[in-house]
Amino acid sequence: MNGGHDLGGMHGFGPVAAEPDEPVFHHEWERRAFAITLACGLLGRWNLDMARHARERIPPPRYLGASYYEIWFEALLTLLVEQGLLSADELETGRSAEASAGELRVPGPDAVRAILERGGSTRADEAPARFLVGERVRVRNRHPLGHTRAPRYVRGRAGTIEGRHGTYVFPDAHAHGGGPRPQPLYSVRFDGIELWGKDGDPGSAVYVDLWEGYLEPAPEQR
Amino acid sequence: MADDHHHHHHHDAPRLADPELRVRALESLLTEKGLVDPAALDAIIDVYETRIGPHNGARVVARAWADPEFRRRLLRNATAAIAELGFEGSQGEHMTVLENTPEVHNMVVCTLCSCYPWPTLGLPPVWYKAPSYRSRAVADPRGVLAEFGVRLPDDVEVRVWDSSAEMRYLVLPARPPGTDGMDEAALAGLVTRDAMIGVDIVRAPGTERDG
């Protein structure tokens, strides 16, 4: 979706505000919000693509005005209610209506450490890849209402396949209960001038990781 | 973030003005329902606040500078080479290392969210997640680098890597001149988090930033 999260190429946010000796967390609530978000994610009721999509659905004025952990927290509330782990009433009153986690397995500290150390690969069995390294491609000019990982600033733009990463879970399906539906994933190089025209930097290029379904052969050069 | 509406809709979940209160209320509700284990929350915080951080990535970089065979493995299969040092796990499952050279400078961004290689760099700084960096890194990388005090010759190509999928990127900065006698631990002490994101240059001790 063309949400407030898709920021590449926007203007008006001012200079980068780097903070010397920045702490990992600035407030106790950020610590807890981060940990609760990860812990709830480990309940297995949603995947990372669904979590990203919940953040993207925050309306742009609010998304752009929120800190990152506020965004995470808002999205977590959305997921907890949508997935039936909390009711709107419970959220409103702060009181539990039923006390059981039901069939859910709630990981303890040792299990959590083990899961984080192990991680979770999204790589799937190799599928035949349509494009070769060096081939010219164009990003399809699509504007889906759902989750996608094709940033707006590359849509309709031509680039070169610089690498093939393998076959990975396709987020556009995975975020919407469509299963993993893995597709080949490519590293695609876009020259600065192709992306930004005369306002671009001819001495720069952007590499974007794009799934095969986002790509089509580039039209013949005239 | 006060909300005037009061629909029973997930976007209009009751919001307290104070995030401290809201988060605490959610934590106690989830705990009461048995959906989270408070000890597990403490474990998560401990991992990312004290155990994992850019000191991990600095050890990877120092090893690559000191050991050409490791550097080769790192550039060929970064995930496996980084795992040799014990750094692996969530948000580091599919690593690629990008080597800065006299001809090419690499920098990393996530324009769509905040993807970042947790096992080697820890959690991202606020600026990495904020709209200014995410919007401009891809369109005006040299302008962004200048704000970090990095000015590159015009003939150095800037490559910006937008972490749009599950590949996570770590920049291998150039080893600064004048560090030949230094051991790995001393070298690791020179490597900054920002250099591994690609918005800083590693400098030898006693040399000044040019910005």
Side-chain angles (χ1 to χ4, degrees):
Chain A
M1 65 180 291
N2 296 342
H5 67 289
D6 188 357
L7 292 171
M10 276 186 79
H11 292 152
F13 294 112
V16 176
E19 177 187 345
D21 301 318
E22 180 177 336
V24 177
F25 299 104
H26 288 78
H27 306 283
E28 176 62 13
W29 72 265
E30 293 186 344
R31 239 176 229 109
R32 306 311 288 182
F34 169 76
I36 297 168
T37 302
L38 256 61
C40 289
L42 298 180
L43 295 172
R45 291 294 275 266
W46 56 81
N47 58 52
L48 185 53
D49 296 307
M50 292 165 73
R52 290 199 182 113
H53 189 52
R55 292 167 199 155
E56 294 160 10
R57 282 185 283 150
I58 296 173
R62 197 146 87 213
Y63 184 97
L64 293 170
S67 75
Y68 212 77
Y69 286 118
E70 286 175 324
I71 291 170
W72 273 37
F73 187 70
E74 290 302 317
L76 175 62
L77 297 181
T78 300
L79 290 165
L80 287 167
V81 173
E82 284 181 353
Q83 298 304 315
L85 295 180
L86 292 182
S87 69
D89 273 352
E90 286 175 314
L91 260 192
E92 190 144 0
T93 60
R95 299 237 163 272
S96 166
E98 45 173 333
S100 155
E103 78 285 10
L104 287 173
R105 253 199 308 188
V106 178
D110 292 337
V112 159
R113 279 188 212 97
I115 292 167
L116 295 176
E117 272 169 36
R118 196 170 58 239
S121 173
T122 53
R123 190 164 187 173
D125 291 343
E126 215 62 15
R130 175 181 179 191
F131 300 110
L132 301 171
V133 171
E135 204 168 337
R136 293 284 290 169
V137 292
R138 186 168 66 181
V139 182
R140 294 176 192 275
N141 184 22
R142 284 190 178 157
H143 298 263
L145 291 170
H147 181 63
T148 188
R149 295 292 284 182
R152 251 180 292 183
Y153 71 91
V154 298
R155 295 182 200 160
R157 301 293 173 196
T160 306
I161 302 280
E162 287 287 318
R164 301 202 294 189
H165 291 305
T167 302
Y168 288 82
V169 169
F170 185 49
D172 302 40
H174 203 224
H176 298 285
R181 291 217 245 141
Q183 290 190 6
L185 178 71
Y186 302 89
S187 175
V188 185
R189 176 192 162 106
F190 300 88
D191 291 330
I193 296 299
E194 166 69 11
L195 294 178
W196 315 107
K198 282 190 295 191
D199 299 311
D201 173 357
S204 81
V206 181
Y207 289 69
V208 186
D209 292 325
L210 297 167
W211 276 266
E212 191 165 280
Y214 299 158
L215 302 172
E216 60 192 2
E220 295 293 324
Q221 299 271 347
R222 269 182 281 188
Chain B
M1 300 226 313
D3 228 318
D4 300 323
H5 320 293
H6 207 78
H7 312 297
H8 284 269
H9 185 264
H10 58 265
H11 282 315
D12 296 295
R15 42 181 50 90
L16 307 169
D18 181 354
E20 198 89 49
L21 293 176
R22 296 179 63 205
V23 173
R24 204 181 306 148
L26 182 68
E27 182 178 340
S28 59
L29 179 57
L30 291 170
T31 306
E32 192 186 341
K33 285 183 73 81
L35 290 170
V36 299
D37 175 347
L41 301 182
D42 293 339
I44 291 169
I45 292 165
D46 176 60
V47 166
Y48 291 105
E49 191 158 33
T50 64
R51 294 188 27 224
I52 292 182
H55 52 277
N56 291 0
R59 283 186 51 203
V60 173
V61 169
R63 174 70 54 88
W65 287 345
D67 178 348
E69 272 306 312
F70 178 77
R71 178 182 153 275
R72 253 189 290 279
R73 291 199 296 280
L74 185 66
L75 295 174
R76 197 170 48 227
N77 183 344
T79 314
I82 291 168
E84 291 175 28
L85 299 186
F87 309 138
E88 53 194 327
S90 192
Q91 294 301 308
E93 294 93 343
H94 313 290
M95 291 294 298
T96 296
V97 166
L98 310 162
E99 185 180 38
N100 283 350
T101 68
E103 293 81 34
V104 173
H105 179 91
N106 297 284
M107 60 189 276
V108 181
V109 65
C110 175
T111 63
L112 296 174
C113 48
S114 60
C115 295
Y116 194 72
W118 290 4
T120 40
L121 294 187
L123 300 180
V126 167
W127 62 260
Y128 183 87
K129 303 179 281 190
S132 179
Y133 184 74
R134 285 164 57 194
S135 62
R136 293 167 55 230
V138 290
D140 180 22
R142 278 174 217 269
V144 170
L145 287 172
E147 285 169 20
F148 282 94
V150 175
R151 286 179 180 81
L152 300 170
D154 286 347
D155 61 351
V156 173
E157 179 181 288
V158 179
R159 293 183 182 168
V160 183
W161 299 76
D162 190 350
S163 318
S164 51
E166 300 304 336
M167 317 306 298
R168 295 291 169 269
Y169 294 98
L170 184 77
V171 174
L172 174 58
R175 179 171 177 166
T179 56
D180 287 355
M182 295 176 73
D183 66 14
E184 254 183 70
L187 288 170
L190 302 179
V191 180
T192 63
R193 174 199 67 201
D194 288 1
M196 294 181 279
I197 303 173
V199 297
D200 192 13
I201 303 291
V202 180
R203 290 166 178 82
T207 56
E208 293 298 312
R209 298 174 69 90
D210 64 0

